[in-house]
Amino acid sequence: QVQVVESGGGLVQAGDSLRLSCAASGRTFSTYAMGWFRQAPGKEREFVAAIVWSAITISTYYADAVQGRFTISRNNAENTVYLQMNSLKPEDAAVYYCAASTGPRRYDGGRYYRYEAGYHYWGQGTQVTVSS
């Protein structure tokens, strides 16, 4: 089992920055990818960013809506991933969820990790509110 816990959400103004954290615990040795999704009121949960790694490689993927503004990273020693969000817009407001993927790694250019089905464990979510 893998447990994931998000933190760092809050209320900011448009144009501000915010950094979310996701701490993973449990049998994290079998985790090869983690991602961020978000869900705004009345909307479906959508992909935000993903990070996939091995002993020698690391890849990141982003939704078009956040490309160039958000950065996903990982601290291997702490089993923690981060989502640095810059130039926040009101449309970025949502509950942000962290997810972890275990088992065989997919080598498809990151497509598999853009969908909820690519992950096995989910956090409780952290609220991000952006005022205009």
Side-chain angles (χ1 to χ4, degrees), residues 115-127:
Y115 300 92
E116 295 180 37
Y119 301 87
H120 304 89
Y121 303 98
W122 292 80
Q124 80 289 345
T126 185
Q127 177 71 53

Side-chain angles (χ1 to χ4, degrees), residues 19-86:
R19 190 192 195 199
L20 305 183
S21 299
C22 176
S25 62
R27 302 182 67 83
T28 56
F29 67 89
S30 62
T31 301
Y32 300 107
M34 297 184 73
W36 288 95
F37 291 74
R38 67 187 183 186
Q39 187 168 24
K43 299 181 64 177
E44 295 183 352
R45 188 175 300 182
E46 64 177 358
F47 169 76
V48 177
I51 185 166
V52 185
W53 66 90
S54 69
I56 59 174
T57 62
I58 185 167
S59 300
T60 57
Y61 308 94
Y62 299 93
D64 291 343
V66 306
Q67 184 76 48
R69 298 188 297 119
F70 290 11
T71 302
I72 188 171
S73 62
R74 175 174 181 257
N75 185 315
N76 188 42
E78 299 178 353
N79 291 317
T80 302
V81 297
Y82 305 94
L83 185 68
Q84 178 66 46
M85 305 183 293
N86 297 328

